[in-house]
Amino acid sequence: MKTSPMATTLLLFLILLSLSSSAVAFSATLLLTAANTLSNSGYLSMALTLQLAASAGLDLDSPTATIFAPSDTAFLQSGPPSLPLLRYHISPRRFSVKTLPYLHRGTKIQTLLPNYSLTVTSSPAVEGYSSVNDVRVDPNSVLDDGSVIIYAVDRFFNLTFLKAEEAPAPAPIAGISGQPHRPFGSVADLLRSKGCSIMAAFLDAQLIGFNRKTALTVFAAVDDAVEDYARNSSDYSEIFRQHVVPRLLKWQDLVALDDGTMLPTFEEGFMINVIKMGDVPVLNDVPVADQDLYKSRFLVVHGVNHLLTSQQQMVRQEEDPVGDQEDGGGAGFTDGFVANVADQINPQGFDDYH
C-alpha cells in the first residue's frame, strides 16, 4: 500500500516530536539528579537554582555535562544568578577528575551560553591547583554518575572575564537581569541570622521573576527541624510550600483568628489548623515562636521551632524513620511550586517597606 506524502510528513513530524520530548525529559532528569545530589552535599542554593531551571525547561543539549557549583556563601554574596550566568556554569562536555587537572592553561571550555567559553587559568602541574576564570576548582567531584560531573567552586565565574572582542554580550532576557538581584534579600539575610537558612535559600532562589503582587505569610522553620524530617530536595520543596500561606497575616491578624480556622497553603491539599493557647497561636500543634520577624506590604514572616506537619505525615515519619531511608536519587524530584505560583507573585518592593 502506497503511503501518501502528507502521511509520511506527519509520521516524520511525530517521530521528531517524540525524540525531542524524550531529549527534554532526559535533560530535566539529569538536572534534577544533579540538584538532588547538590542539596544532600550542602549546596542548597545551587540545587534550588538547577531545580528552577529544570522546571523552566533548561536544556543541556547533550547527554553529558560538567557543572561548576558555587557555594551557598557565593549566593549570599552575589545573589541568585541570571539565566545567562547559570548557563555559563554548565558545559555540555564531561570533564572527569582525570581530565580537568591536565587541561593546559588557556584551554577553552565550551558552555551552554552561546559564544561564551570558560578559560583554564591554572593547572596542578604548574600552579599546584586547578582554576577556571581565576576561580579555584575543588579537585574532588561532588557528583560523577558517568553522564554528569559536578565540581565545587567558591564563587561565581565572571562573565566579563573574556575580552570584549572575544565574545559579544549575551542578549538580555526579559525579567532577568545580568546583575545580582535579590528581591527577598533583606528577609533572607534575616532568616539566616535566625538559623533558618534553608527557608532563606528558597526565598533567594525560588521566588524570582513572578509578575503579580500577592500577599504572603511564611512560617519559617529552623534548619534543625527541616533537616530532621527532609530526606531529599523534593522534601525540601514540599516543606516550603506547606509553610507559605497566600494571605498577609501579621501577628495581630493571627491572634484574632477563631479557633479551628483552616489556612490553605501552596501545597495542594495541605491545610494549617489554627488554635490558640492563651495568646499564642498554635499551628498544627506547633506554637508560633517568633512573631513578625519581617513585615512588608506583601510579605510577613513568623518563626516556628518545628515543622507544621499534618497528622498523616507525623504517622508516616514515625513508621518510616529518616535513618532507614535509602537515597531517593532524582526520582520524584518535581516541584509544582513554580507552576502553582508563577503567575501570582511579584516580590518587587518587598525589601523597601518594613
Side-chain angles (χ1 to χ4, degrees):
M1 180 177 178
K2 189 175 181 180
T3 304
S4 69
M6 181 177 292
T8 302
T9 302
L10 179 59
L11 179 60
L12 179 61
F13 172 77
L14 291 175
I15 292 173
L16 292 175
L17 180 62
S18 175
L19 291 174
S20 176
S21 299
S22 298
V24 170
F26 181 71
S27 179
T29 299
L30 290 179
L31 286 175
L32 295 176
T33 300
N36 188 57
T37 300
L38 284 169
S39 176
N40 293 333
S41 302
Y43 291 81
L44 183 62
S45 296
M46 187 63 173
L48 298 178
T49 301
L50 286 180
Q51 180 185 3
L52 184 61
S55 300
L58 177 64
D59 189 359
L60 293 178
D61 295 325
S62 170
T64 61
T66 297
I67 300 175
F68 297 96
S71 64
D72 282 357
T73 301
F75 276 78
L76 179 61
Q77 294 172 342
S78 302
S82 63
L83 184 56
L85 186 57
L86 177 62
R87 290 179 179 273
Y88 193 49
H89 285 72
I90 303 175
S91 172
R93 294 185 59 191
R94 175 182 170 274
F95 294 93
S96 72
V97 293
K98 295 182 179 180
T99 300
L100 187 64
Y102 295 98
L103 296 179
H104 296 296
R105 183 185 179 97
T107 300
K108 301 298 182 182
I109 298 176
Q110 179 187 0
T111 73
L112 295 186
L113 184 61
N115 301 317
Y116 271 83
S117 60
L118 299 167
T119 303
V120 176
T121 47
S122 66
S123 65
V126 180
E127 287 83 6
Y129 61 89
S130 294
S131 70
V132 174
N133 283 27
D134 286 333
V135 176
R136 187 172 297 207
V137 179
D138 191 318
N140 301 310
S141 63
V142 178
L143 164 74
D144 185 1
D145 64 3
S147 297
V148 174
I149 187 166
I150 304 175
Y151 293 99
V153 293
D154 58 6
R155 55 191 171 91
F156 285 98
F157 297 136
N158 191 342
L159 267 174
T160 61
F161 181 82
L162 297 177
K163 295 180 181 179
E165 61 269 20
E166 292 186 61
I173 298 177
I176 302 178
S177 169
Q179 299 298 320
H181 178 53
R182 301 180 63 213
F184 284 90
S186 295
V187 63
D189 292 343
L190 173 65
L191 288 179
R192 286 188 176 91
S193 71
K194 299 291 185 180
C196 302
S197 60
I198 295 176
M199 292 288 184
F202 268 97
L203 287 171
D204 250 347
Q206 195 80 353
L207 300 177
I208 301 171
F210 303 106
N211 54 26
R212 286 179 54 191
K213 293 182 178 180
T214 294
L216 299 174
T217 298
V218 177
F219 297 103
V222 294
D223 291 341
D224 288 345
V226 179
E227 291 169 352
D228 283 346
Y229 175 82
R231 292 181 293 276
N232 54 51
S233 328
S234 59
D235 282 327
Y236 283 124
S237 298
E238 178 184 65
I239 288 168
F240 186 76
R241 294 192 299 269
Q242 291 172 349
H243 288 69
V244 182
V245 174
R247 175 179 172 186
L248 197 68
L249 292 168
K250 298 179 182 178
W251 180 254
Q252 64 267 29
D253 302 317
L254 272 179
V255 298
L257 294 176
D258 295 331
D259 279 357
T261 297
M262 302 297 290
L263 299 175
T265 68
F266 279 112
E267 174 65 12
E268 185 177 357
F270 186 89
M271 305 288 289
I272 297 175
N273 180 29
V274 183
I275 62 172
K276 289 190 290 294
M277 295 179 61
D279 294 330
V280 179
V282 178
L283 317 172
N284 288 8
D285 296 329
V286 176
V288 177
D290 296 293
Q291 63 186 50
D292 290 344
L293 285 175
Y294 181 91
K295 293 187 295 184
S296 75
R297 289 172 291 180
F298 304 104
L299 176 67
V300 61
V301 180
H302 306 291
V304 291
N305 290 330
H306 302 279
L307 294 182
L308 308 184
T309 50
S310 66
Q311 192 64 37
Q312 291 84 348
Q313 287 173 311
M314 293 173 67
V315 170
R316 186 175 70 220
Q317 191 175 5
E318 291 173 359
E319 295 176 346
D320 198 10
V322 173
D324 295 336
Q325 292 297 313
E326 296 181 355
D327 184 3
F333 187 87
T334 55
D335 184 13
F337 179 73
V338 174
N340 288 342
V341 301
D343 294 328
Q344 302 179 39
I345 305 171
N346 181 355
Q348 300 296 332
F350 282 3
D351 286 346
D352 60 2
Y353 184 89
H354 297 265

